[in-house]
């Protein structure tokens, strides 16, 4: 009986250690969000894609032309024993301007909107509390970030995946993404690998 208890405890510890959660964030171009989250301690994978639309599929052309109402979104696979959802929220709000409607810098359109997809009531409460605190502390005023229940994620085309790291000399990467990544790595270095 004692051996069974020990084995059960070890299995539970292993399951906790290997626990995986997902977060879904859209904050402008998914290349930027992907690059910001890829090297965080506890983040195991980041996939660019589309979420929050009303069509039964999504692709870059249709999303960019506003035909599907999806937002460019990143699916972030993370271990909550290493990095919390709260820290991911903190980084997300530092990584883009949540006060602009349907745009980030020169990227304009509803597919570039600031949006977070929650998967349960606890996440929704956490997101809303975080937004309230940012506004109360005058970090941002009039946050436009949508808080929407997660339904479906569509993976973006292969050439969008790992874009920043495979195209570091592309103009958008060097002028827009790299400065954001460098600033966050400097300001929040304890969270990065």
């Amino acid at each position: 009986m004692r051996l069974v208890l020990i084995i059960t405890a070890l299995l539970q510890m292993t399951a906790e250690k290997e626990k995986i959660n997902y977060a879904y964030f859209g904050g402008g171009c998914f290349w930027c969000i992907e690059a910001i989250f890829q090297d965080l301690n506890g983040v195991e994978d980041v996939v660019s894609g589309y979420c929050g639309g009303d069509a039964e599929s999504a692709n870059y052309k249709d999303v960019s032309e506003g035909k599907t109402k999806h937002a460019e979104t990143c699916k972030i696979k993370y271990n909550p024993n290493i990095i919390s959802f709260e820290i991911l929220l903190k980084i997300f709000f530092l990584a883009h301007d949540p006060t602009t409607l349907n745009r980030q810098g020169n990227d304009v359109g509803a597919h570039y909107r600031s949006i977070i997809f929650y998967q349960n009531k606890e996440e929704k409460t956490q997101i809303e509390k975080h937004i309230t605190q940012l506004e109360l502390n005058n970090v941002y005023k009039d946050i436009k970030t949508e808080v929407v229940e997660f339904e479906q994620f569509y993976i973006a085309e292969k050439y969008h995946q790992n874009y920043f790291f495979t195209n570091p000399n592309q103009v958008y990467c060097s002028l827009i993404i790299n400065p954001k990544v460098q600033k966050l790595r400097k300001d929040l270095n304890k969270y990065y690998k």
Side-chain angles (χ1 to χ4, degrees):
M1 182 66 161
R2 185 170 180 194
L3 182 59
V4 170
L5 290 174
I6 292 171
I7 291 171
T8 302
L10 287 173
L11 289 173
Q12 287 175 336
M13 286 174 30
T14 302
E16 266 306 300
K17 195 174 188 181
E18 295 175 1
K19 186 173 182 182
I20 295 299
N21 284 358
Y22 294 91
Y24 297 87
F25 296 144
C29 177
F30 46 36
W31 298 341
C32 190
I33 297 298
E34 179 188 65
I36 285 163
F37 284 94
Q38 277 183 319
D39 278 345
L40 286 170
N41 292 314
V43 170
E44 297 190 9
D45 193 27
V46 182
V47 178
S48 290
Y50 314 102
C51 220
D54 58 10
E56 299 213 4
S57 66
N59 62 65
Y60 189 70
K61 182 180 183 298
D62 289 345
V63 171
S64 298
E65 292 175 358
K67 293 178 180 177
T68 69
K69 299 185 181 172
H70 287 92
E72 290 192 13
T73 304
C74 285
K75 175 183 180 181
I76 301 160
K77 178 181 178 182
Y78 71 99
N79 183 331
N81 294 320
I82 299 172
I83 190 164
S84 68
F85 187 69
E86 184 64 31
I87 296 301
L88 295 177
L89 286 173
K90 176 180 180 178
I91 292 166
F92 172 72
F93 280 103
L94 290 172
H96 79 296
D97 181 355
T99 66
T100 57
L101 184 62
N102 298 330
R103 77 175 303 148
Q104 285 297 303
N106 293 327
D107 294 332
V108 179
H111 58 293
Y112 292 124
R113 66 193 181 270
S114 178
I115 191 166
I116 302 172
F117 298 92
Y118 64 88
Q119 296 173 84
N120 54 54
K121 194 173 183 177
E122 181 183 327
E123 278 187 2
K124 182 181 183 194
T125 301
Q126 239 182 319
I127 296 162
E128 290 171 342
K129 181 180 174 187
H130 192 87
I131 289 171
T132 300
Q133 287 303 310
L134 289 172
E135 290 181 330
L136 287 174
N137 294 331
N138 292 317
V139 176
Y140 295 110
K141 290 185 183 211
D142 196 23
I143 291 175
K144 305 281 190 225
T145 303
E146 294 177 34
V147 180
V148 178
E149 185 173 8
F150 175 80
E151 289 183 14
Q152 179 72 41
F153 177 80
Y154 299 98
I155 296 173
E157 296 77 0
K158 187 176 180 179
Y159 68 91
H160 287 300
Q161 307 304 326
N162 203 29
Y163 193 85
F164 174 69
F165 291 105
T166 56
N167 300 281
N169 297 320
Q170 195 261 9
V171 174
Y172 187 87
C173 292
S174 59
L175 294 180
I176 305 296
I177 300 173
N178 190 49
K180 285 184 180 187
V181 170
Q182 294 308 315
K183 181 174 181 354
L184 282 168
R185 287 181 78 86
K186 181 181 174 199
D187 294 348
L188 303 170
N189 66 348
K190 68 182 178 181
Y191 300 119
Y192 282 91
K193 297 174 186 164

